[in-house]
Amino acid sequence: METQIYQSNQLNIKTCARLLQEGEIVAFPTETVYGLGANAFLPDSVKKIYEAKGRPSDNPLIVHIADKTWVDVVADFVPDGAKKVIENFMPGPVTVVLKKKKIVPDSVTGGLDTVAVRMPDSKVALDLILEAGVPVCAPSANTSSKPSPTKASHVYDDLNGKISAILDGGECEVGVESTVIDFTGEKPRLLRAGGMALEKIEEVVGEIEVVRGSTVALCPGMKYKHYSPSSEVFVATADENAVGRMVAFYEKCVSEGKKAVVIAMEENARDFDQNHFYSAGKSYEDYARKLFSLLRQSDDDGYDIVIAQGVEEKGIGSSIANRLEKACGGKFI
Ligand code: AMP
Ligand code: MG
């Protein structure tokens, strides 16, 4: 199969929407990361997503909608907390998990009786879904276990020949996936830290349960390997000695003949070898936007080792910390 790349204009959005209606799978930009979409009502199309990504079939997909009123098309019941999130934060980088309607196929939800719903804050994504006229289920448009794609070229590198089309809308603004909150239990529960700060959501819905350091997967997606480039990733725990430890670890790698690169905040740039340094930018927002792209860059540049600066777990920092932890597989320095 030839994978077509379409620049995002109205004509191409129409073409991609028609492909979705016809049962093809299409990668499209959102504000978080690129998604790999299928018409959520066509189980055979949904299966193509799992095949193209090499994704385990029990890892459910998020259903993307173009209008808040569409929540009721896929969800059986919307509790008050979820209503507040929908009202205050959609469109945006937040996903609510609700009891599903029968109309949502099992292939979308990995056999669960719940459905994850999100309205992306991206004009291209919303235009595409509106034009398709159906909810579009989508995971991130990468090969399973690789860093999520934040540019059309990342999608192409992973999925060329496996999907019909990529709608190119430029670089994603947020850069990490959505915050996922489960509203099907007694109390709202965080399933995945993401682009919307938990603290902001709690201001509107009250306390959200966070299970930290749990070895039990709360939802299917949590048990799988994630965000790994080919290079080996090490993360420096965020404390006052982090930069010193990174410098020492970098020198040790080099002395062992390994090719290593450092990812750190711009303010620490002068402490590192400029020839092997990727700036994470000036803020956690910058770091989130750049992280996946830099992990992919380390492979393109042929590094054996990435030494990444850890972050404090507050605001969007929580989602960066989560992605870093998964990318390094627990290898902290
Ligand atoms: P991604 O894996 O990047 O495609 O994002 C989809 C993620 O949303 C999954 O891995 C789950 O963590 C979460 N998710 C989707 N649907 C559900 C659901 N019904 N229940 C719980 N989590 C879900
Ligand atoms: Mg993913």
Side-chain angles (χ1 to χ4, degrees):
M1 174 192 310
E2 181 104 6
T3 301
Q4 284 277 343
I5 301 181
Y6 294 95
Q7 293 308 309
S8 63
N9 55 44
Q10 287 309 312
L11 182 70
N12 287 340
I13 287 172
K14 277 203 165 111
T15 304
C16 288
R18 199 164 52 241
L19 286 169
L20 287 172
Q21 288 168 343
E22 289 166 355
E24 296 299 328
I25 55 177
V26 173
F28 63 100
T30 78
E31 82 281 30
T32 59
V33 301
Y34 272 74
L36 179 58
N39 178 338
F41 295 144
L42 299 179
D44 286 342
S45 313
V46 178
K47 283 194 192 112
K48 290 183 191 172
I49 292 178
Y50 288 91
E51 280 162 22
K53 280 183 61 89
R55 182 181 176 98
S57 62
D58 65 348
N59 190 357
L61 311 178
I62 294 172
V63 174
H64 293 69
I65 57 174
D67 189 291
K68 292 182 192 190
T69 59
W70 292 19
V71 171
D72 298 316
V73 176
V74 292
D76 205 25
F77 175 65
V78 187
D80 282 345
K83 277 190 188 133
K84 286 183 188 159
V85 171
I86 293 162
E87 222 169 87
N88 286 277
F89 301 116
M90 289 198 192
V94 62
T95 296
V96 292
V97 173
L98 304 165
K99 287 277 172 210
K100 85 172 185 81
K101 278 216 165 101
K102 278 210 182 73
I103 192 171
V104 183
D106 279 346
S107 50
V108 171
T109 63
L112 300 171
D113 63 355
T114 56
V115 61
V117 188
R118 166 168 130 78
M119 181 175 172
D121 188 13
S122 150
K123 182 161 169 29
V124 177
L126 293 175
D127 284 353
L128 175 73
I129 300 164
L130 263 184
E131 189 68 41
V134 287
V136 172
C137 62
S140 49
N142 52 315
T143 298
S144 223
S145 91
K146 289 264 181 204
S148 299
T150 56
K151 295 177 188 170
S153 63
H154 298 157
V155 181
Y156 189 82
D157 289 345
D158 278 13
L159 300 177
N160 177 30
K162 296 182 173 172
I163 62 176
S164 300
I166 302 170
L167 186 56
D168 184 350
E171 202 169 337
C172 300
E173 265 168 46
V174 176
V176 289
E177 301 87 341
S178 59
T179 304
V180 182
I181 315 275
D182 178 7
F183 282 98
T184 63
E186 249 166 59
K187 271 197 204 159
R189 196 171 58 160
L190 177 73
L191 296 184
R192 176 174 77 185
M196 174 74 68
L198 187 67
E199 296 87 333
K200 269 181 80 174
I201 306 173
E202 283 187 319
E203 276 172 25
V204 169
V205 302
E207 201 192 335
I208 295 172
E209 199 180 345
V210 180
V211 184
R212 280 228 169 77
S214 165
T215 49
V216 185
L218 294 175
C219 65
M222 291 166 110
K223 67 178 185 247
Y224 296 110
K225 189 177 166 221
H226 256 99
Y227 315 124
S228 316
S230 303
S231 46
E232 201 175 354
V233 181
F234 293 85
V235 174
T237 310
D239 59 37
E240 63 274 19
N241 302 317
V243 170
R245 286 199 311 280
M246 290 172 79
V247 171
F249 192 75
Y250 174 80
E251 280 165 8
K252 178 172 170 282
C253 292
V254 173
S255 73
E256 289 169 357
K258 291 178 183 141
K259 208 178 157 204
V261 65
V262 164
I263 299 177
M265 301 308 294
E266 182 67 38
E267 63 188 16
N268 302 120
R270 63 185 178 283
D271 289 304
F272 299 104
D273 177 350
Q274 288 310 295
N275 295 319
H276 303 285
F277 177 77
Y278 296 155
S279 171
K282 295 190 167 122
S283 62
Y284 281 178
E285 281 73 19
D286 289 345
Y287 200 167
R289 183 166 52 246
K290 295 169 85 165
L291 175 61
F292 288 139
S293 190
L294 292 177
L295 291 177
R296 284 176 176 267
Q297 184 75 41
S298 72
D299 281 346
D300 295 344
D301 292 343
Y303 285 107
D304 307 311
I305 292 189
V306 175
I307 306 164
Q309 186 170 14
V311 299
E312 284 174 53
E313 292 196 38
K314 58 177 184 200
I316 196 168
S318 301
S319 63
I320 302 169
N322 167 275
R323 305 317 185 260
L324 284 174
E325 184 181 349
K326 291 195 168 173
C328 78
K331 283 179 292 202
F332 290 99
I333 58 169

